[in-house]
């Protein structure tokens, strides 16, 4: 079952997020995996990065700082992408 962004936000705020969390993993994680695996990463790294993105998203929602103008799927993908870029840059910096 797919959930609207409003349903996802409401479920998280009411701490009834099990089903919506599974939905986010099913819908967004495959896109994150494709991006990371095509940019020098692997599935395990993609999963870790996505988990970090979900935590950032949850924190934004819990603190009422999430901007409803953003689609949740796009927000999670963008956060994942930025986390991956930062991770790769940190590896480059360490190797120098």
């Amino acid at each position: 079952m797919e959930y609207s962004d409003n349903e996802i936000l409401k479920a998280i705020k009411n701490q009834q997020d099990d089903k919506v969390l599974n939905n986010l993993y099913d819908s967004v994680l495959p896109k994150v995996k494709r991006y990371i695996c095509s940019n020098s990463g692997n599935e395990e790294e993609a999963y870790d990065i996505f988990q970090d993105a979900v935590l950032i998203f949850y924190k934004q929602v819990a603190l009422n700082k999430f901007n409803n103008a953003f689609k949740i799927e796009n927000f999670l993908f963008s956060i994942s992408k930025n986390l991956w870029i930062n991770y790769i840059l940190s590896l480059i910096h360490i190797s120098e």
Side-chain angles (χ1 to χ4, degrees):
M1 176 180 186
E2 297 241 354
Y3 295 93
S4 71
D5 284 3
N6 286 336
E7 290 172 323
I8 293 169
L9 295 172
K10 184 177 178 182
I12 292 170
K13 288 178 182 180
N14 293 330
Q15 298 179 345
Q16 299 171 339
D17 54 4
D18 289 344
K19 290 180 183 176
V20 297
L21 182 60
N22 288 335
N23 181 260
L24 291 174
Y25 272 80
D26 290 343
S27 63
V28 184
L29 181 57
K31 295 172 187 173
V32 171
K33 281 183 185 178
R34 274 192 303 278
Y35 174 78
I36 290 176
C37 290
S38 66
N39 287 283
S40 305
N42 60 45
E43 287 191 14
E44 184 177 328
E45 291 168 323
Y47 185 82
D48 291 343
I49 290 289
F50 186 70
Q51 281 187 298
D52 290 346
V54 169
L55 289 174
I56 291 168
F57 168 63
Y58 267 62
K59 189 172 184 178
Q60 292 284 312
V61 172
L63 297 174
N64 290 318
K65 292 186 176 185
F66 180 74
N67 184 344
N68 291 347
F70 296 116
K71 284 191 49 92
I72 293 171
E73 182 175 322
N74 296 343
F75 180 81
L76 285 170
F77 182 79
S78 294
I79 295 297
S80 297
K81 184 177 174 181
N82 289 334
L83 288 171
W84 181 248
I85 291 168
N86 288 339
Y87 175 73
I88 292 296
L89 290 175
S90 72
L91 293 177
I92 293 169
H93 180 70
I94 290 172
S95 69
E96 290 180 346

